[in-house]
Amino acid sequence: GVQEQGCRALRSLTCNVDNQTEIAVEGGIEAVVAALRAHSSHAGVQEQRRPALFCLACNVDNQSKLTVEGGIAAVLKAMGAHASHAGVQEQACAAFSKLAYSNDDNTVKRAVVGGIAAVVAAMRTHPLHAGVQEQGCRALRSLTCNVDNQTEIAVEGGIEAVVAALRAHSSHAGVQEQRRPALFCLACNVDNQSKLTVEGGIAAVLKAMGAHASHAGVQEQ
């Protein structure tokens, strides 16, 4: 109870940019990671921890500290322990997307410790959950900032997962808007271009464009 509400409070406080730094200075990152470890078997507690990590990771300096303090490892452990809990998976993918964004060191490390496989597994396990699919694709997009990860994502089945998400959520504009950047980044790899065609990526994009003709964000992506 104390840990859950404490992380919820930190998440709310991180809406202020200055607070993101202050929380790190006061030991907030260590506290959140410690809570993840101590309550790894409690799905509700884990679900509340992820938004706190996501918000703290909006600060670039905090991204490195979260890695050093074991934040990535703690998130991965929770994803494995609560594979069937969509809420935990959604928030974990959201945390990954922020930790990987504009931080190549974290991106590489995450691929090594199994982050790509964990994100793809979450998308496969919860194909009809728009939140999991949206955050999963956002995480994969961030991970593709590293060239080696583009290949690894394809190997782990990430292309199939993204295309499946496009098809399953064709009527959801927000979901569709997040899928496009993931496909765009994956297509930067020449080998992935052919696989995207074979898996129906082009057809899925065209279908979504037709379904959301008035949505500028979908059309842009």
Side-chain angles (χ1 to χ4, degrees):
V2 173
Q3 296 298 312
E4 184 172 356
Q5 296 306 320
C7 278
R8 184 173 289 171
L10 290 178
R11 176 187 61 182
S12 298
L13 288 166
T14 54
C15 292
N16 179 288
V17 176
D18 292 334
N19 287 349
Q20 294 169 9
T21 300
E22 184 65 20
I23 288 169
V25 170
E26 294 294 337
I29 290 176
E30 294 88 338
V32 172
V33 173
L36 279 167
R37 290 171 173 160
H39 301 279
S40 60
S41 63
H42 192 293
V45 170
Q46 293 296 311
E47 188 174 4
Q48 286 304 317
R49 297 310 182 272
R50 293 315 174 293
L53 285 178
F54 176 88
C55 294
L56 284 168
C58 291
N59 179 293
V60 176
D61 292 332
N62 287 351
Q63 292 173 6
S64 297
K65 192 166 186 179
L66 279 163
T67 303
V68 172
E69 294 297 333
I72 293 174
V75 171
L76 284 170
K77 182 178 179 181
M79 289 182 79
H82 303 284
S84 63
H85 194 291
V88 170
Q89 300 299 311
E90 178 183 359
Q91 296 301 334
C93 288
F96 279 147
S97 71
K98 273 298 177 186
L99 284 166
Y101 188 72
S102 298
N103 193 321
D104 197 55
D105 289 339
N106 279 344
T107 302
V108 174
K109 185 168 184 177
R110 189 160 312 97
V112 172
V113 297
I116 290 173
V119 170
V120 173
M123 294 176 71
R124 285 175 173 164
T125 303
H126 303 279
L128 301 181
H129 193 285
V132 172
Q133 296 300 310
E134 182 173 357
Q135 297 305 328
C137 276
R138 182 175 288 170
L140 291 180
R141 175 188 62 181
S142 296
L143 286 160
T144 55
C145 293
N146 177 277
V147 176
D148 293 334
N149 287 350
Q150 295 170 8
T151 300
E152 184 67 19
I153 288 170
V155 170
E156 292 292 344
I159 290 176
E160 294 89 336
V162 172
V163 174
L166 277 167
R167 291 171 172 160
H169 299 277
S170 60
S171 63
H172 193 294
V175 170
Q176 293 295 314
E177 189 174 3
Q178 288 303 318
R179 297 311 184 268
R180 295 312 176 292
L183 288 177
F184 175 84
C185 293
L186 285 168
C188 292
N189 180 294
V190 176
D191 293 331
N192 288 350
Q193 292 173 8
S194 297
K195 192 165 188 179
L196 279 165
T197 302
V198 172
E199 294 297 333
I202 294 175
V205 169
L206 290 172
K207 181 179 179 181
M209 289 181 72
H212 302 282
S214 62
H215 193 290
V218 171
Q219 298 297 314
E220 178 183 2
Q221 299 299 339

